[in-house]
Amino acid sequence: MNKNLIRQAQKLQAGIAKAQEELETTTLQASAGGGAVNAVVTGRLRLQSIHIDPEVVDPSDIEMLQDLVVAAVNEGLEEAQKLAQRKMGALTGGMKLPGIG
């Protein structure tokens, strides 16, 4: 194998490891219901926290609250996934690698 190719592969591997570490510590916030429910997720697609405004807690309408939670979490996860794709795409030149992004 060409030594230059090996160096490029090592550089790519180091860049991917660094990007994954950055994604682990990056957080994104998303909300639903005009800010009634806020979800914070990491760039590695993990729900870190959720905040629910007490004013939207209506025991007679739990379904609405559940829908707001799902919407906020899904929005956060979608944004985190886009961030991961941008970071990894910048490293790989848009090339899809298994298990990355």
Side-chain angles (χ1 to χ4, degrees):
M1 218 181 211
N2 184 329
K3 287 186 180 197
N4 190 34
L5 184 60
I6 292 172
R7 271 191 233 113
Q8 287 177 340
Q10 289 171 336
K11 184 177 178 181
L12 176 61
Q13 186 177 21
I16 289 171
K18 181 179 181 205
Q20 287 176 328
E21 185 178 310
E22 289 173 1
L23 288 170
E24 191 71 43
T25 59
T26 300
T27 58
L28 300 111
Q29 183 172 335
S31 65
V37 176
N38 291 295
V40 177
V41 298
T42 70
R44 296 284 288 173
L45 308 178
R46 300 276 191 255
L47 179 62
Q48 190 173 55
S49 68
I50 194 147
H51 177 266
I52 300 170
D53 185 336
E55 291 183 21
V56 298
V57 179
D58 180 356
S60 66
D61 194 3
I62 295 298
E63 287 182 17
M64 181 202 57
L65 180 57
Q66 292 169 335
D67 289 345
L68 290 174
V69 170
V70 168
V73 171
N74 282 336
E75 181 182 327
L77 292 174
E78 287 173 15
E79 290 303 313
Q81 192 169 34
K82 288 176 189 174
L83 175 66
Q85 288 172 347
R86 283 193 308 270
K87 281 190 172 289
M88 294 303 172
L91 290 170
T92 63
M95 180 178 64
K96 297 286 183 187
L97 299 177
I100 297 175

